[in-house]
Amino acid sequence: MPVYSMTGYATAQQEVAPSETGGDAKSAGATRIGLEIRSVNSRFLDLSFRLPEELRQHEPALRELLNAKLKRGKVEVRAAVEQENGGGLKEPTTRQLQKLNAMQDNIRAWLPQATPLSVADVIRLGGSEAGTVQTTGEQIQALASKAIKELMAARQREGARLSTMLLDRIAQLRALAAQAVPLVPQLVEQQRQRFLERWKEAMNLAEGATAPEAAQDRALSEATAFAIRIDVAEEITRLDSHLDELERLLSKGGELGKRLDFLIQELHREANTLGSKSAAMELTRISVDMKVLIEQMREQVQNIE
């Protein structure tokens, strides 16, 4: 399965034939329904809709379609209805004029002081009624399916880019871990030699009060304790294990954002421990470089579904 990002954008449009709109088909211009879907990262699936009144009845169907395809993300769905007037102005039909006249008489019966409708009012109100769009559920679902398909393709492309970036960071972390492995034995040997030199100096100051064998044993004991204290083999092993799991998940794909986020936390913990055990500037540098890479990974993992 591919890796999907939660970031995506898609649009789709569909023209509605004049016979599918209310009012006089001859006076009605072309009607176009546009659907726009935007999505960004979120811990859960959060859907919001901004639909015109004539399309609000289709919100449950749109919600069901999105729930079937998306698992996480803050998703905003916008729809708009646009009409093109062939002659610029729509001429109200006889039925509309009769309806407006009856409404005016009824209102003025209760409010005699009300101002009569002007010609501009009649054109505006009649044109508005003529532009009411009558759409079927099949039309909206077909349009939404097209937009969702485009959105999934955009999220997949972004997910592939994120996956490539994460695999690159994983390779860099492995290289840093490989640099850290031989440093510990070198540090232990250097410390052992340092302990031996110190005990020799102390033995000379004490004028032979301490036997050379005892001094050497004490130096070796100190070096052993130092080696245990700075040993990062366990941290490197766990770090490699987490990197293996990251690669496995990325190759598997699907809904993996939360698991990736957990593994990033574990990687950061191991890098911190490695830094706290550091007994040389080189190990400290490796730890810092690891944490920089892990933080970059954390930012990108937040966008994976």
Side-chain angles (χ1 to χ4, degrees):
M1 293 179 66
V3 175
Y4 288 100
S5 168
M6 286 185 281
T7 302
Y9 175 80
T11 60
Q13 294 185 344
Q14 178 176 327
E15 287 194 359
V16 181
S19 59
E20 296 171 348
T21 61
D24 186 3
K26 294 181 179 180
S27 63
T31 301
R32 182 181 295 107
I33 302 176
L35 195 66
E36 178 183 88
I37 307 178
R38 300 173 182 266
S39 69
V40 294
N41 61 315
S42 177
R43 292 184 61 190
F44 308 102
L45 182 59
D46 181 10
L47 303 178
S48 63
F49 295 85
R50 297 179 180 272
L51 308 178
E53 193 61 37
E54 56 264 43
L55 299 180
R56 197 168 297 279
Q57 60 180 323
H58 301 296
E59 180 178 326
L62 293 175
R63 187 179 294 274
E64 184 177 351
L65 283 174
L66 289 166
N67 277 320
K69 293 291 185 181
L70 308 178
K71 304 302 180 184
R72 295 174 63 201
K74 182 176 177 59
V75 183
E76 181 179 354
V77 181
R78 292 174 177 267
V81 178
E82 300 178 357
Q83 288 190 314
E84 299 176 0
N85 300 334
L89 294 177
K90 297 178 182 178
E91 181 179 352
T93 64
T94 301
R95 183 182 64 82
Q96 292 167 351
L97 291 173
Q98 291 173 345
K99 184 176 180 181
L100 288 172
N101 187 56
M103 291 174 62
Q104 176 178 246
D105 291 342
N106 188 36
I107 292 173
R108 297 194 69 190
W110 289 92
L111 301 172
Q113 70 277 16
T115 304
L117 289 172
S118 65
V119 174
D121 293 333
V122 172
I123 293 175
R124 177 173 55 81
L125 295 172
S128 174
E129 183 177 343
T132 301
V133 179
Q134 301 297 328
T135 58
T136 63
E138 290 77 7
Q139 289 174 326
I140 292 297
Q141 290 204 13
L143 184 63
S145 296
K146 179 181 177 182
I148 293 173
K149 183 178 180 180
E150 183 179 334
L151 177 70
M152 295 299 292
R155 287 167 62 124
Q156 182 177 343
R157 289 192 298 270
E158 179 66 12
R161 187 189 68 80
L162 294 176
S163 181
T164 300
M165 188 281 294
L166 290 173
L167 290 173
D168 176 71
R169 300 301 186 274
I170 289 173
Q172 293 185 50
L173 286 171
R174 288 192 187 280
L176 289 172
Q179 294 175 26
V181 170
L183 290 177
V184 174
Q186 296 174 13
L187 291 171
V188 172
E189 179 59 25
Q190 292 173 7
Q191 192 68 12
R192 189 181 72 85
Q193 293 296 332
R194 191 177 298 114
F195 284 144
L196 284 173
E197 292 172 1
R198 289 178 180 175
W199 279 108
K200 287 179 181 179
E201 293 175 359
M203 184 182 64
N204 292 333
L205 291 175
E207 298 180 353
T210 305
E213 294 80 5
Q216 186 173 7
D217 291 343
R218 182 65 181 273
L220 291 176
S221 298
E222 293 289 343
T224 301
F226 175 77
I228 294 173
R229 191 164 62 251
I230 70 167
D231 185 23
V232 294
E234 186 176 350
E235 285 73 19
I236 296 296
T237 300
R238 284 199 296 262
L239 189 141
D240 283 335
S241 176
H242 297 328
L243 294 178
D244 289 341
E245 181 65 9
L246 282 169
E247 287 183 332
R248 188 189 72 79
L249 289 174
L250 290 172
S251 63
K252 179 182 178 182
E255 187 181 352
L256 47 85
K258 293 182 178 180
R259 297 185 66 182
L260 292 179
D261 188 55
F262 171 76
L263 287 171
I264 293 298
Q265 294 179 31
E266 294 301 307
L267 283 176
H268 196 271
R269 181 179 292 110
E270 302 305 334
N272 268 335
T273 305
L274 189 147
S276 66
K277 288 186 174 183
S278 175
M281 288 299 298
E282 186 64 16
L283 272 176
T284 301
R285 180 194 63 80
I286 290 174
S287 173
V288 171
D289 289 347
M290 280 184 172
K291 286 189 279 189
V292 170
L293 291 173
I294 293 168
E295 190 59 33
Q296 292 174 357
M297 295 172 70
R298 185 200 303 277
E299 293 176 0
Q300 300 306 322
V301 163
Q302 300 301 317
N303 293 318
I304 295 180
E305 186 176 52

